[in-house]
Amino acid sequence: MSKNYFKNNPDKDGFFGTYGGAFIPPNLEEEMKKINDAYFSISKSHKFINELRQIRKHFQGRPTPVYHCGRLSQKYGGQIYLKREDLNHTGAHKLNHCMGEALLAKHMGKKKLIAETGAGQHGVALATAAAYFGLECEIHMGEVDISKEYPNVQRMKVLGTTVIPVTHGLKTLKEAVDSAFEAYLKDPINSIYCIGSVVGPHPFPMMVRDFQRVVGIEAKDQFLEMTGELPDNVVACVGGGSNAMGIFSAFLFDDECALYGIEPGGTSLKMGEHAATMTLGKPGTIHGFKCYVLQDENGEPAPVHSIASGLDYPGVGPEHSMLKDLEKVTYDSITDKECIDAFFELSRLEGIIPALESSHAVAYAIKLAQKNPQQSILVNLSG
Ligand SMILES: *Cc1c(COP(=O)(O)O)cnc(C)c1O
């Protein structure tokens, strides 16, 4: 792990080791190259960096605090700390990359943001960013999810976004991705597909990671200021992996910090009952990039389940796939039941109601605390 890590990962073709890349239709190759070039010139520009800083401070409410869980630590041992991304505007870390993607879109002269959403969290964050910048926004969402997550549909509509119901297949996330992708292909000049995690074809895994790095940079400073040392353990939940990359990125070169990425173990480790991609997946290709993929007997993406819809994905970010092979991060899983127990523990001992996604990380922190009562644990509370 060298100081040039972020310059060399991904390489110029978008690979993190053997993972990542861009396996996309030829007509999109040129568009991805334009996005990549715009990102490289803009991300070095004083004006862009300054505008993003102002947005983070005055609109998003950054820096978010780091909080020491006194009662939780007393009950389970260890010293458990939370990076409070739930206090970011709209209630999760997702706005960090949505504001970055929308700012890039505006600089590129795009008129419309397009994306899919499962539970609606990415949709609400992107709708918020679109309203802020005065851009059109179109969110594709399966009909099943629309009825399950109606409050988020209403929030998107209030924010001025068009919600497109997807009525084919299982009418959930995978069909919504296909539908959003089709809409984007019709007009890639005026629109941009804003991916919701560190997944998809290059340059998205890199850009989303870079926009999330603020979480780790802040948390490291804050933790040092509070305790005078670095955390022994850093824990984050992993769906696609954006909140985890955000916090891990600041600790990749600190060998004294153990990093843990926590996936949903669901109700069992039988196919269709979990989404533990790192634990049970194999290298493969999904949605235009290479990564660990949960696969069925035909090598197709397997059906997945998690109580937390934001973690319910059969693939994972390419950078995480590389970090697993390098044994830089330990990937493990937490069951639906352990997640619910942690959800109530944090709520009742600390007065913080976590997202079910983040409760996976809290559950793992509790286990670590019981095992190593003398150690400190920093959890990314993604929402
Ligand atoms: C979407 C979401 C996640 C999962 O996304 P990652 O890209 O894996 O971070 C986790 N937590 C919350 C609160 C979310 O909304």
Side-chain angles (χ1 to χ4, degrees):
M1 290 275 149
S2 81
K3 282 275 179 287
N4 285 327
Y5 176 86
F6 293 107
K7 271 199 179 135
N8 299 333
N9 290 286
D11 69 15
K12 65 175 188 2
D13 299 316
F15 282 93
F16 297 88
T18 56
Y19 303 101
F23 302 86
I24 48 179
N27 55 335
L28 267 190
E29 272 171 27
E30 195 183 333
E31 201 42 44
M32 288 298 150
K33 192 174 172 317
K34 273 192 214 153
I35 295 173
N36 187 55
D37 292 348
Y39 175 70
F40 269 108
S41 63
I42 275 168
S43 64
K44 306 267 182 297
S45 111
H46 177 70
K47 187 163 168 272
F48 181 87
I49 293 169
N50 229 22
E51 192 170 352
L52 200 53
R53 280 202 182 135
Q54 291 300 314
I55 288 169
R56 284 170 173 169
K57 182 166 178 199
H58 298 292
F59 181 65
Q60 290 183 233
R62 304 204 70 87
T64 58
V66 166
Y67 167 73
H68 175 246
C69 296
R71 297 184 66 214
L72 192 70
S73 305
Q74 197 170 30
K75 178 160 175 188
Y76 290 103
Q79 295 299 330
I80 303 175
Y81 294 79
L82 307 176
K83 174 63 172 164
R84 297 286 311 272
E85 286 304 293
D86 59 313
L87 295 178
N88 201 26
H89 180 42
T90 72
H93 70 290
K94 284 203 172 71
L95 200 62
N96 298 332
H97 59 251
C98 285
M99 292 308 284
E101 287 175 322
L103 181 59
L104 179 68
K106 195 189 84 174
H107 278 261
M108 290 181 76
K110 303 283 185 188
K111 307 222 159 24
K112 192 199 256 182
L113 311 179
I114 299 178
E116 80 292 338
T117 196
Q121 295 141 316
H122 178 51
V124 169
L126 197 64
T128 301
Y132 179 95
F133 288 108
L135 296 165
E136 283 173 58
C137 186
E138 184 179 297
I139 300 292
H140 296 246
M141 189 168 183
E143 261 188 344
V144 169
D145 293 328
I146 288 182
S147 53
K148 261 171 54 183
E149 305 286 349
Y150 202 66
N152 277 340
V153 176
Q154 283 174 312
R155 288 166 84 196
M156 286 186 260
K157 288 184 177 166
V158 167
L159 289 160
T161 280
T162 308
V163 179
I164 310 267
V166 180
T167 56
H168 66 278
L170 295 175
K171 304 174 190 173
T172 57
L173 185 62
K174 170 152 187 324
E175 291 78 21
V177 175
D178 298 339
S179 168
F181 206 67
E182 252 169 59
Y184 172 51
L185 280 179
K186 280 189 195 133
D187 188 9
I189 304 295
N190 291 306
S191 60
I192 183 167
Y193 189 171
C194 291
I195 292 176
S197 187
V198 285
V199 296
H202 180 64
F204 282 93
M206 169 188 69
M207 293 197 308
V208 172
R209 172 200 68 194
D210 289 354
F211 290 135
Q212 289 294 346
R213 280 180 65 187
V214 66
V215 176
I217 292 167
E218 285 176 10
K220 189 174 192 174
D221 274 357
Q222 291 165 315
F223 194 92
L224 271 170
E225 197 187 301
M226 288 170 85
T227 68
E229 44 192 54
L230 291 176
D232 296 309
N233 307 281
V234 179
V235 185
C237 66
V238 175
S242 63
N243 87 86
M245 270 328 301
I247 197 150
F248 291 168
S249 60
F251 299 96
L252 285 175
F253 320 111
D254 299 308
D255 289 335
E256 66 267 46
C257 302
L259 308 179
Y260 296 92
I262 308 307
E263 297 189 307
T267 51
S268 88
L269 291 181
K270 274 193 254 159
M271 196 204 296
E273 300 186 352
H274 64 88
T277 309
M278 289 295 201
T279 314
L280 295 166
K282 287 185 299 202
T285 303
I286 186 170
H287 291 139
F289 69 105
K290 275 195 187 153
C291 63
Y292 277 87
V293 183
L294 283 170
Q295 302 174 28
D296 65 14
E297 54 286 347
N298 303 317
E300 292 297 315
V304 281
H305 158 83
S306 167
I307 194 169
S309 41
L311 303 183
D312 208 351
Y313 186 59
V316 64
E319 192 166 7
H320 284 288
S321 302
M322 178 185 77
L323 292 170
K324 171 183 161 72
D325 290 359
L326 293 173
E327 298 180 1
K328 187 67 221 175
V329 178
T330 304
Y331 294 89
D332 207 339
S333 64
I334 281 290
T335 65
D336 284 356
K337 172 160 189 321
E338 291 169 319
C339 160
I340 293 172
D341 290 345
F343 169 86
F344 282 113
E345 281 300 85
L346 189 67
S347 300
R348 292 174 183 176
L349 288 169
E350 301 290 347
I352 297 168
I353 302 179
L356 288 172
E357 288 80 3
S358 327
S359 300
H360 285 77
V362 175
Y364 201 78
I366 289 175
K367 282 190 177 178
L368 281 177
Q370 287 171 316
K371 216 162 64 183
N372 306 305
Q374 74 294 355
Q375 293 192 356
S376 61
I377 304 159
L378 174 62
V379 176
N380 195 11
L381 199 74
S382 53

